[in-house]
Each structure stands twice: as C-alpha cells, then as structure tokens.
PDB file of all heavy atoms in Angstrom:
ATOM      1  N   GLU A   1     186.124 148.099 132.335  1.00  0.00           N
ATOM      2  CA  GLU A   1     187.095 149.034 132.773  1.00  0.00           C
ATOM      3  C   GLU A   1     187.304 150.136 131.675  1.00  0.00           C
ATOM      4  O   GLU A   1     187.563 151.314 132.084  1.00  0.00           O
ATOM      5  CB  GLU A   1     188.488 148.316 132.989  1.00  0.00           C
ATOM      6  CG  GLU A   1     188.418 147.351 134.166  1.00  0.00           C
ATOM      7  CD  GLU A   1     188.318 148.079 135.490  1.00  0.00           C
ATOM      8  OE1 GLU A   1     188.463 149.233 135.551  1.00  0.00           O
ATOM      9  OE2 GLU A   1     188.071 147.353 136.473  1.00  0.00           O
ATOM     10  N   GLU A   2     187.169 149.727 130.415  1.00  0.00           N
ATOM     11  CA  GLU A   2     187.338 150.750 129.377  1.00  0.00           C
ATOM     12  C   GLU A   2     186.150 151.761 129.490  1.00  0.00           C
ATOM     13  O   GLU A   2     186.371 152.920 129.218  1.00  0.00           O
ATOM     14  CB  GLU A   2     187.264 150.087 128.031  1.00  0.00           C
ATOM     15  CG  GLU A   2     188.494 149.309 127.693  1.00  0.00           C
ATOM     16  CD  GLU A   2     188.399 148.571 126.353  1.00  0.00           C
ATOM     17  OE1 GLU A   2     187.398 148.840 125.582  1.00  0.00           O
ATOM     18  OE2 GLU A   2     189.239 147.774 126.004  1.00  0.00           O
ATOM     19  N   ILE A   3     184.947 151.313 129.780  1.00  0.00           N
ATOM     20  CA  ILE A   3     183.856 152.239 130.013  1.00  0.00           C
ATOM     21  C   ILE A   3     184.111 153.160 131.088  1.00  0.00           C
ATOM     22  O   ILE A   3     183.949 154.441 131.001  1.00  0.00           O
ATOM     23  CB  ILE A   3     182.512 151.438 130.215  1.00  0.00           C
ATOM     24  CG1 ILE A   3     182.126 150.652 128.966  1.00  0.00           C
ATOM     25  CG2 ILE A   3     181.408 152.429 130.576  1.00  0.00           C
ATOM     26  CD1 ILE A   3     180.960 149.739 129.150  1.00  0.00           C
ATOM     27  N   LEU A   4     184.596 152.670 132.258  1.00  0.00           N
ATOM     28  CA  LEU A   4     184.901 153.494 133.400  1.00  0.00           C
ATOM     29  C   LEU A   4     185.983 154.502 133.057  1.00  0.00           C
ATOM     30  O   LEU A   4     185.870 155.652 133.433  1.00  0.00           O
ATOM     31  CB  LEU A   4     185.398 152.562 134.549  1.00  0.00           C
ATOM     32  CG  LEU A   4     184.261 151.849 135.311  1.00  0.00           C
ATOM     33  CD1 LEU A   4     184.858 150.847 136.312  1.00  0.00           C
ATOM     34  CD2 LEU A   4     183.374 152.829 136.074  1.00  0.00           C
ATOM     35  N   ASP A   5     186.988 154.122 132.339  1.00  0.00           N
ATOM     36  CA  ASP A   5     188.108 154.996 131.984  1.00  0.00           C
ATOM     37  C   ASP A   5     187.582 156.170 131.036  1.00  0.00           C
ATOM     38  O   ASP A   5     188.137 157.211 131.083  1.00  0.00           O
ATOM     39  CB  ASP A   5     189.195 154.173 131.293  1.00  0.00           C
ATOM     40  CG  ASP A   5     189.931 153.349 132.248  1.00  0.00           C
ATOM     41  OD1 ASP A   5     189.868 153.550 133.489  1.00  0.00           O
ATOM     42  OD2 ASP A   5     190.594 152.406 131.746  1.00  0.00           O
ATOM     43  N   ARG A   6     186.564 155.896 130.312  1.00  0.00           N
ATOM     44  CA  ARG A   6     186.130 156.868 129.378  1.00  0.00           C
ATOM     45  C   ARG A   6     185.090 157.876 129.986  1.00  0.00           C
ATOM     46  O   ARG A   6     184.817 158.922 129.419  1.00  0.00           O
ATOM     47  CB  ARG A   6     185.401 156.182 128.141  1.00  0.00           C
ATOM     48  CG  ARG A   6     185.043 157.149 127.053  1.00  0.00           C
ATOM     49  CD  ARG A   6     184.540 156.419 125.856  1.00  0.00           C
ATOM     50  NE  ARG A   6     183.939 157.354 124.860  1.00  0.00           N
ATOM     51  CZ  ARG A   6     183.369 156.946 123.689  1.00  0.00           C
ATOM     52  NH1 ARG A   6     183.331 155.682 123.394  1.00  0.00           N
ATOM     53  NH2 ARG A   6     182.788 157.868 122.942  1.00  0.00           N
ATOM     54  N   LEU A   7     184.576 157.539 131.171  1.00  0.00           N
ATOM     55  CA  LEU A   7     183.649 158.489 131.798  1.00  0.00           C
ATOM     56  C   LEU A   7     184.308 159.750 132.188  1.00  0.00           C
ATOM     57  O   LEU A   7     185.512 159.827 132.552  1.00  0.00           O
ATOM     58  CB  LEU A   7     183.069 157.789 133.119  1.00  0.00           C
ATOM     59  CG  LEU A   7     182.211 156.540 132.932  1.00  0.00           C
ATOM     60  CD1 LEU A   7     181.765 156.007 134.317  1.00  0.00           C
ATOM     61  CD2 LEU A   7     180.991 156.839 132.020  1.00  0.00           C
ATOM     62  N   PRO A   8     183.611 160.913 132.141  1.00  0.00           N
ATOM     63  CA  PRO A   8     184.202 162.176 132.489  1.00  0.00           C
ATOM     64  C   PRO A   8     184.672 162.090 133.968  1.00  0.00           C
ATOM     65  O   PRO A   8     183.961 161.628 134.872  1.00  0.00           O
ATOM     66  CB  PRO A   8     182.970 163.159 132.350  1.00  0.00           C
ATOM     67  CG  PRO A   8     182.089 162.495 131.397  1.00  0.00           C
ATOM     68  CD  PRO A   8     182.182 161.042 131.582  1.00  0.00           C
ATOM     69  N   THR A   9     185.816 162.662 134.251  1.00  0.00           N
ATOM     70  CA  THR A   9     186.401 162.605 135.574  1.00  0.00           C
ATOM     71  C   THR A   9     185.532 163.280 136.589  1.00  0.00           C
ATOM     72  O   THR A   9     185.573 162.884 137.775  1.00  0.00           O
ATOM     73  CB  THR A   9     187.846 163.171 135.564  1.00  0.00           C
ATOM     74  OG1 THR A   9     187.764 164.516 134.967  1.00  0.00           O
ATOM     75  CG2 THR A   9     188.725 162.380 134.698  1.00  0.00           C
ATOM     76  N   ARG A  10     184.848 164.354 136.193  1.00  0.00           N
ATOM     77  CA  ARG A  10     184.080 165.122 137.162  1.00  0.00           C
ATOM     78  C   ARG A  10     182.777 164.383 137.568  1.00  0.00           C
ATOM     79  O   ARG A  10     182.091 164.749 138.524  1.00  0.00           O
ATOM     80  CB  ARG A  10     183.620 166.486 136.538  1.00  0.00           C
ATOM     81  CG  ARG A  10     182.791 166.236 135.238  1.00  0.00           C
ATOM     82  CD  ARG A  10     181.842 167.341 134.913  1.00  0.00           C
ATOM     83  NE  ARG A  10     180.997 166.947 133.779  1.00  0.00           N
ATOM     84  CZ  ARG A  10     179.888 166.278 133.868  1.00  0.00           C
ATOM     85  NH1 ARG A  10     179.425 165.908 135.046  1.00  0.00           N
ATOM     86  NH2 ARG A  10     179.196 165.947 132.745  1.00  0.00           N
ATOM     87  N   LEU A  11     182.471 163.285 136.818  1.00  0.00           N
ATOM     88  CA  LEU A  11     181.136 162.754 136.994  1.00  0.00           C
ATOM     89  C   LEU A  11     181.148 161.665 138.142  1.00  0.00           C
ATOM     90  O   LEU A  11     181.901 160.704 138.062  1.00  0.00           O
ATOM     91  CB  LEU A  11     180.714 162.094 135.649  1.00  0.00           C
ATOM     92  CG  LEU A  11     179.318 161.412 135.559  1.00  0.00           C
ATOM     93  CD1 LEU A  11     178.209 162.501 135.788  1.00  0.00           C
ATOM     94  CD2 LEU A  11     179.136 160.784 134.262  1.00  0.00           C
ATOM     95  N   PRO A  12     180.279 161.796 139.077  1.00  0.00           N
ATOM     96  CA  PRO A  12     180.191 160.756 140.132  1.00  0.00           C
ATOM     97  C   PRO A  12     179.676 159.415 139.447  1.00  0.00           C
ATOM     98  O   PRO A  12     178.852 159.528 138.557  1.00  0.00           O
ATOM     99  CB  PRO A  12     179.119 161.272 141.125  1.00  0.00           C
ATOM    100  CG  PRO A  12     179.116 162.794 140.880  1.00  0.00           C
ATOM    101  CD  PRO A  12     179.400 162.940 139.427  1.00  0.00           C
ATOM    102  N   ARG A  13     180.177 158.377 139.949  1.00  0.00           N
ATOM    103  CA  ARG A  13     179.736 157.064 139.355  1.00  0.00           C
ATOM    104  C   ARG A  13     179.575 156.102 140.426  1.00  0.00           C
ATOM    105  O   ARG A  13     180.200 156.106 141.519  1.00  0.00           O
ATOM    106  CB  ARG A  13     180.763 156.615 138.326  1.00  0.00           C
ATOM    107  CG  ARG A  13     182.073 156.064 138.711  1.00  0.00           C
ATOM    108  CD  ARG A  13     183.106 157.151 139.058  1.00  0.00           C
ATOM    109  NE  ARG A  13     183.277 158.087 137.963  1.00  0.00           N
ATOM    110  CZ  ARG A  13     184.221 157.881 137.029  1.00  0.00           C
ATOM    111  NH1 ARG A  13     185.007 156.815 136.973  1.00  0.00           N
ATOM    112  NH2 ARG A  13     184.431 158.819 136.086  1.00  0.00           N
ATOM    113  N   LEU A  14     178.733 155.079 140.112  1.00  0.00           N
ATOM    114  CA  LEU A  14     178.485 153.891 140.998  1.00  0.00           C
ATOM    115  C   LEU A  14     178.689 152.672 140.149  1.00  0.00           C
ATOM    116  O   LEU A  14     178.401 152.685 138.936  1.00  0.00           O
ATOM    117  CB  LEU A  14     177.086 153.848 141.559  1.00  0.00           C
ATOM    118  CG  LEU A  14     176.667 154.995 142.485  1.00  0.00           C
ATOM    119  CD1 LEU A  14     175.172 154.923 142.789  1.00  0.00           C
ATOM    120  CD2 LEU A  14     177.467 154.843 143.818  1.00  0.00           C
ATOM    121  N   THR A  15     179.172 151.611 140.671  1.00  0.00           N
ATOM    122  CA  THR A  15     179.214 150.333 139.997  1.00  0.00           C
ATOM    123  C   THR A  15     178.172 149.395 140.650  1.00  0.00           C
ATOM    124  O   THR A  15     178.106 149.285 141.920  1.00  0.00           O
ATOM    125  CB  THR A  15     180.617 149.696 140.169  1.00  0.00           C
ATOM    126  OG1 THR A  15     181.602 150.500 139.585  1.00  0.00           O
ATOM    127  CG2 THR A  15     180.646 148.358 139.496  1.00  0.00           C
ATOM    128  N   VAL A  16     177.256 148.830 139.873  1.00  0.00           N
ATOM    129  CA  VAL A  16     176.300 147.859 140.293  1.00  0.00           C
ATOM    130  C   VAL A  16     176.602 146.479 139.765  1.00  0.00           C
ATOM    131  O   VAL A  16     176.686 146.276 138.567  1.00  0.00           O
ATOM    132  CB  VAL A  16     174.858 148.375 139.846  1.00  0.00           C
ATOM    133  CG1 VAL A  16     173.874 147.217 140.043  1.00  0.00           C
ATOM    134  CG2 VAL A  16     174.444 149.587 140.569  1.00  0.00           C
ATOM    135  N   MET A  17     176.935 145.612 140.691  1.00  0.00           N
ATOM    136  CA  MET A  17     177.092 144.247 140.376  1.00  0.00           C
ATOM    137  C   MET A  17     175.782 143.570 140.364  1.00  0.00           C
ATOM    138  O   MET A  17     175.211 143.238 141.450  1.00  0.00           O
ATOM    139  CB  MET A  17     178.128 143.631 141.317  1.00  0.00           C
ATOM    140  CG  MET A  17     179.446 144.339 141.426  1.00  0.00           C
ATOM    141  SD  MET A  17     180.325 144.393 139.854  1.00  0.00           S
ATOM    142  CE  MET A  17     180.778 142.662 139.643  1.00  0.00           C
ATOM    143  N   ASN A  18     175.186 143.327 139.194  1.00  0.00           N
ATOM    144  CA  ASN A  18     173.787 142.840 139.102  1.00  0.00           C
ATOM    145  C   ASN A  18     173.827 141.293 139.004  1.00  0.00           C
ATOM    146  O   ASN A  18     174.822 140.652 138.722  1.00  0.00           O
ATOM    147  CB  ASN A  18     173.171 143.480 137.799  1.00  0.00           C
ATOM    148  CG  ASN A  18     171.654 143.147 137.799  1.00  0.00           C
ATOM    149  OD1 ASN A  18     170.999 142.921 138.768  1.00  0.00           O
ATOM    150  ND2 ASN A  18     171.133 143.134 136.594  1.00  0.00           N
ATOM    151  N   LYS A  19     172.673 140.733 139.100  1.00  0.00           N
ATOM    152  CA  LYS A  19     172.413 139.276 138.976  1.00  0.00           C
ATOM    153  C   LYS A  19     173.038 138.468 140.079  1.00  0.00           C
ATOM    154  O   LYS A  19     173.492 137.379 139.918  1.00  0.00           O
ATOM    155  CB  LYS A  19     172.917 138.776 137.628  1.00  0.00           C
ATOM    156  CG  LYS A  19     172.282 139.548 136.399  1.00  0.00           C
ATOM    157  CD  LYS A  19     172.731 138.937 135.140  1.00  0.00           C
ATOM    158  CE  LYS A  19     172.182 139.723 133.970  1.00  0.00           C
ATOM    159  NZ  LYS A  19     172.567 139.149 132.640  1.00  0.00           N
ATOM    160  N   ILE A  20     172.954 139.021 141.331  1.00  0.00           N
ATOM    161  CA  ILE A  20     173.504 138.256 142.502  1.00  0.00           C
ATOM    162  C   ILE A  20     172.667 137.006 142.755  1.00  0.00           C
ATOM    163  O   ILE A  20     173.061 136.153 143.519  1.00  0.00           O
ATOM    164  CB  ILE A  20     173.682 139.101 143.734  1.00  0.00           C
ATOM    165  CG1 ILE A  20     172.338 139.644 144.174  1.00  0.00           C
ATOM    166  CG2 ILE A  20     174.693 140.261 143.527  1.00  0.00           C
ATOM    167  CD1 ILE A  20     172.348 140.394 145.526  1.00  0.00           C
ATOM    168  N   ASP A  21     171.448 137.028 142.185  1.00  0.00           N
ATOM    169  CA  ASP A  21     170.525 135.864 142.345  1.00  0.00           C
ATOM    170  C   ASP A  21     171.154 134.619 141.742  1.00  0.00           C
ATOM    171  O   ASP A  21     170.921 133.447 142.157  1.00  0.00           O
ATOM    172  CB  ASP A  21     169.134 136.069 141.790  1.00  0.00           C
ATOM    173  CG  ASP A  21     169.222 136.598 140.418  1.00  0.00           C
ATOM    174  OD1 ASP A  21     169.680 137.740 140.176  1.00  0.00           O
ATOM    175  OD2 ASP A  21     168.853 135.911 139.438  1.00  0.00           O
ATOM    176  N   LEU A  22     172.016 134.832 140.768  1.00  0.00           N
ATOM    177  CA  LEU A  22     172.694 133.638 140.126  1.00  0.00           C
ATOM    178  C   LEU A  22     173.902 133.115 140.969  1.00  0.00           C
ATOM    179  O   LEU A  22     174.395 132.060 140.735  1.00  0.00           O
ATOM    180  CB  LEU A  22     173.220 134.042 138.731  1.00  0.00           C
ATOM    181  CG  LEU A  22     172.151 134.565 137.745  1.00  0.00           C
ATOM    182  CD1 LEU A  22     172.870 134.977 136.417  1.00  0.00           C
ATOM    183  CD2 LEU A  22     171.163 133.522 137.470  1.00  0.00           C
ATOM    184  N   LEU A  23     174.292 133.974 141.962  1.00  0.00           N
ATOM    185  CA  LEU A  23     175.462 133.611 142.826  1.00  0.00           C
ATOM    186  C   LEU A  23     175.055 133.202 144.152  1.00  0.00           C
ATOM    187  O   LEU A  23     175.896 132.820 144.978  1.00  0.00           O
ATOM    188  CB  LEU A  23     176.425 134.810 142.875  1.00  0.00           C
ATOM    189  CG  LEU A  23     176.939 135.354 141.588  1.00  0.00           C
ATOM    190  CD1 LEU A  23     177.822 136.583 141.845  1.00  0.00           C
ATOM    191  CD2 LEU A  23     177.761 134.263 140.788  1.00  0.00           C
ATOM    192  N   ALA A  24     173.745 133.356 144.468  1.00  0.00           N
ATOM    193  CA  ALA A  24     173.274 133.121 145.867  1.00  0.00           C
ATOM    194  C   ALA A  24     174.083 134.016 146.840  1.00  0.00           C
ATOM    195  O   ALA A  24     174.444 133.578 147.961  1.00  0.00           O
ATOM    196  CB  ALA A  24     173.374 131.666 146.207  1.00  0.00           C
ATOM    197  N   ARG A  25     174.321 135.273 146.418  1.00  0.00           N
ATOM    198  CA  ARG A  25     175.051 136.137 147.288  1.00  0.00           C
ATOM    199  C   ARG A  25     174.092 137.220 147.898  1.00  0.00           C
ATOM    200  O   ARG A  25     173.164 137.636 147.236  1.00  0.00           O
ATOM    201  CB  ARG A  25     176.162 136.844 146.418  1.00  0.00           C
ATOM    202  CG  ARG A  25     176.919 137.953 147.225  1.00  0.00           C
ATOM    203  CD  ARG A  25     177.818 138.725 146.388  1.00  0.00           C
ATOM    204  NE  ARG A  25     178.320 139.873 147.132  1.00  0.00           N
ATOM    205  CZ  ARG A  25     179.611 140.113 147.315  1.00  0.00           C
ATOM    206  NH1 ARG A  25     180.549 139.278 146.841  1.00  0.00           N
ATOM    207  NH2 ARG A  25     179.968 141.212 148.051  1.00  0.00           N
ATOM    208  N   ALA A  26     174.422 137.722 149.051  1.00  0.00           N
ATOM    209  CA  ALA A  26     173.548 138.646 149.790  1.00  0.00           C
ATOM    210  C   ALA A  26     173.820 139.999 149.175  1.00  0.00           C
ATOM    211  O   ALA A  26     174.944 140.355 148.729  1.00  0.00           O
ATOM    212  CB  ALA A  26     173.849 138.668 151.229  1.00  0.00           C
ATOM    213  N   PRO A  27     172.811 140.905 149.161  1.00  0.00           N
ATOM    214  CA  PRO A  27     173.077 142.287 148.764  1.00  0.00           C
ATOM    215  C   PRO A  27     174.082 142.977 149.674  1.00  0.00           C
ATOM    216  O   PRO A  27     174.191 142.673 150.805  1.00  0.00           O
ATOM    217  CB  PRO A  27     171.673 142.997 148.895  1.00  0.00           C
ATOM    218  CG  PRO A  27     170.727 141.828 148.987  1.00  0.00           C
ATOM    219  CD  PRO A  27     171.442 140.673 149.572  1.00  0.00           C
ATOM    220  N   ALA A  28     174.771 143.937 149.069  1.00  0.00           N
ATOM    221  CA  ALA A  28     175.786 144.699 149.866  1.00  0.00           C
ATOM    222  C   ALA A  28     176.041 146.009 149.239  1.00  0.00           C
ATOM    223  O   ALA A  28     175.923 146.187 147.994  1.00  0.00           O
ATOM    224  CB  ALA A  28     177.099 143.876 149.944  1.00  0.00           C
ATOM    225  N   LEU A  29     176.504 146.966 150.101  1.00  0.00           N
ATOM    226  CA  LEU A  29     176.974 148.260 149.617  1.00  0.00           C
ATOM    227  C   LEU A  29     178.429 148.437 150.118  1.00  0.00           C
ATOM    228  O   LEU A  29     178.659 148.468 151.289  1.00  0.00           O
ATOM    229  CB  LEU A  29     176.053 149.427 150.089  1.00  0.00           C
ATOM    230  CG  LEU A  29     176.584 150.893 149.971  1.00  0.00           C
ATOM    231  CD1 LEU A  29     176.848 151.149 148.474  1.00  0.00           C
ATOM    232  CD2 LEU A  29     175.635 151.858 150.510  1.00  0.00           C
ATOM    233  N   GLU A  30     179.347 148.472 149.191  1.00  0.00           N
ATOM    234  CA  GLU A  30     180.747 148.663 149.492  1.00  0.00           C
ATOM    235  C   GLU A  30     181.220 150.047 149.190  1.00  0.00           C
ATOM    236  O   GLU A  30     181.109 150.522 148.034  1.00  0.00           O
ATOM    237  CB  GLU A  30     181.589 147.642 148.657  1.00  0.00           C
ATOM    238  CG  GLU A  30     181.212 146.215 148.997  1.00  0.00           C
ATOM    239  CD  GLU A  30     182.031 145.239 148.049  1.00  0.00           C
ATOM    240  OE1 GLU A  30     182.653 145.723 147.076  1.00  0.00           O
ATOM    241  OE2 GLU A  30     181.869 144.003 148.252  1.00  0.00           O
ATOM    242  N   ARG A  31     181.556 150.839 150.167  1.00  0.00           N
ATOM    243  CA  ARG A  31     181.945 152.252 149.968  1.00  0.00           C
ATOM    244  C   ARG A  31     183.469 152.300 149.816  1.00  0.00           C
ATOM    245  O   ARG A  31     184.204 151.814 150.688  1.00  0.00           O
ATOM    246  CB  ARG A  31     181.522 153.112 151.149  1.00  0.00           C
ATOM    247  CG  ARG A  31     180.014 153.217 151.274  1.00  0.00           C
ATOM    248  CD  ARG A  31     179.636 154.103 152.417  1.00  0.00           C
ATOM    249  NE  ARG A  31     178.184 154.391 152.514  1.00  0.00           N
ATOM    250  CZ  ARG A  31     177.332 153.581 153.196  1.00  0.00           C
ATOM    251  NH1 ARG A  31     177.797 152.460 153.729  1.00  0.00           N
ATOM    252  NH2 ARG A  31     176.092 153.950 153.182  1.00  0.00           N
ATOM    253  N   ARG A  32     183.848 152.829 148.711  1.00  0.00           N
ATOM    254  CA  ARG A  32     185.363 153.019 148.490  1.00  0.00           C
ATOM    255  C   ARG A  32     185.520 154.504 148.150  1.00  0.00           C
ATOM    256  O   ARG A  32     184.659 155.199 147.836  1.00  0.00           O
ATOM    257  CB  ARG A  32     185.771 152.127 147.309  1.00  0.00           C
ATOM    258  CG  ARG A  32     185.684 150.632 147.650  1.00  0.00           C
ATOM    259  CD  ARG A  32     185.945 149.771 146.426  1.00  0.00           C
ATOM    260  NE  ARG A  32     185.814 148.375 146.750  1.00  0.00           N
ATOM    261  CZ  ARG A  32     185.620 147.425 145.855  1.00  0.00           C
ATOM    262  NH1 ARG A  32     185.600 147.806 144.554  1.00  0.00           N
ATOM    263  NH2 ARG A  32     185.570 146.186 146.224  1.00  0.00           N
ATOM    264  N   LYS A  33     186.807 154.901 148.223  1.00  0.00           N
ATOM    265  CA  LYS A  33     187.170 156.280 148.029  1.00  0.00           C
ATOM    266  C   LYS A  33     186.815 156.732 146.613  1.00  0.00           C
ATOM    267  O   LYS A  33     186.281 157.860 146.416  1.00  0.00           O
ATOM    268  CB  LYS A  33     188.606 156.555 148.373  1.00  0.00           C
ATOM    269  CG  LYS A  33     189.053 157.977 148.276  1.00  0.00           C
ATOM    270  CD  LYS A  33     190.502 158.148 148.693  1.00  0.00           C
ATOM    271  CE  LYS A  33     190.867 159.619 148.706  1.00  0.00           C
ATOM    272  NZ  LYS A  33     192.289 159.789 149.067  1.00  0.00           N
ATOM    273  N   GLU A  34     187.100 155.909 145.646  1.00  0.00           N
ATOM    274  CA  GLU A  34     186.925 156.314 144.248  1.00  0.00           C
ATOM    275  C   GLU A  34     185.387 156.195 143.875  1.00  0.00           C
ATOM    276  O   GLU A  34     184.871 157.061 143.096  1.00  0.00           O
ATOM    277  CB  GLU A  34     187.820 155.485 143.295  1.00  0.00           C
ATOM    278  CG  GLU A  34     187.474 153.950 143.225  1.00  0.00           C
ATOM    279  CD  GLU A  34     188.078 153.203 144.409  1.00  0.00           C
ATOM    280  OE1 GLU A  34     188.722 153.842 145.304  1.00  0.00           O
ATOM    281  OE2 GLU A  34     188.039 151.971 144.426  1.00  0.00           O
ATOM    282  N   ALA A  35     184.733 155.159 144.287  1.00  0.00           N
ATOM    283  CA  ALA A  35     183.354 154.994 143.900  1.00  0.00           C
ATOM    284  C   ALA A  35     182.792 153.831 144.697  1.00  0.00           C
ATOM    285  O   ALA A  35     183.476 152.931 145.053  1.00  0.00           O
ATOM    286  CB  ALA A  35     183.150 154.721 142.436  1.00  0.00           C
ATOM    287  N   ALA A  36     181.491 153.874 145.003  1.00  0.00           N
ATOM    288  CA  ALA A  36     180.823 152.814 145.726  1.00  0.00           C
ATOM    289  C   ALA A  36     180.391 151.643 144.791  1.00  0.00           C
ATOM    290  O   ALA A  36     180.232 151.950 143.547  1.00  0.00           O
ATOM    291  CB  ALA A  36     179.606 153.335 146.489  1.00  0.00           C
ATOM    292  N   THR A  37     180.227 150.510 145.317  1.00  0.00           N
ATOM    293  CA  THR A  37     179.782 149.389 144.538  1.00  0.00           C
ATOM    294  C   THR A  37     178.606 148.774 145.256  1.00  0.00           C
ATOM    295  O   THR A  37     178.599 148.510 146.527  1.00  0.00           O
ATOM    296  CB  THR A  37     180.914 148.268 144.397  1.00  0.00           C
ATOM    297  OG1 THR A  37     181.956 148.853 143.678  1.00  0.00           O
ATOM    298  CG2 THR A  37     180.402 147.044 143.645  1.00  0.00           C
TER     299      THR A  37
END
C-alpha cells in the first residue's frame, strides 16, 4: 500500500496478484474504477 501511495497520481497502474499456482486459484481480471487487478 505504501508503494501504491507513492506512485504518481497521473500514472495508470495495475495490480498483479502473482503465484496463484500456490493457491490453486483460477486466473482472473478484476476491473475496478481506481485500477484493475
């Protein structure tokens, strides 16, 4: 969260939740108003 807060406000950003193979979770794209995950 500190890294996100320090990013320039004008800069588009994405959050990537990596290592889903350790969770046995399916890939997904979550679109949100502030940034996609």
Side-chain angles (χ1 to χ4, degrees):
E1 294 293 349
E2 289 178 8
I3 294 172
L4 284 171
D5 291 341
R6 188 173 168 182
L7 294 178
T9 55
R10 58 152 187 89
L11 184 62
R13 72 279 306 270
L14 296 172
T15 299
V16 168
M17 304 300 291
N18 188 27
K19 305 184 183 181
I20 62 171
D21 52 292
L22 300 179
L23 303 176
R25 176 186 171 125
L29 170 55
E30 300 172 353
R31 294 180 175 88
R32 295 171 181 161
K33 186 174 182 180
E34 64 279 5
T37 298

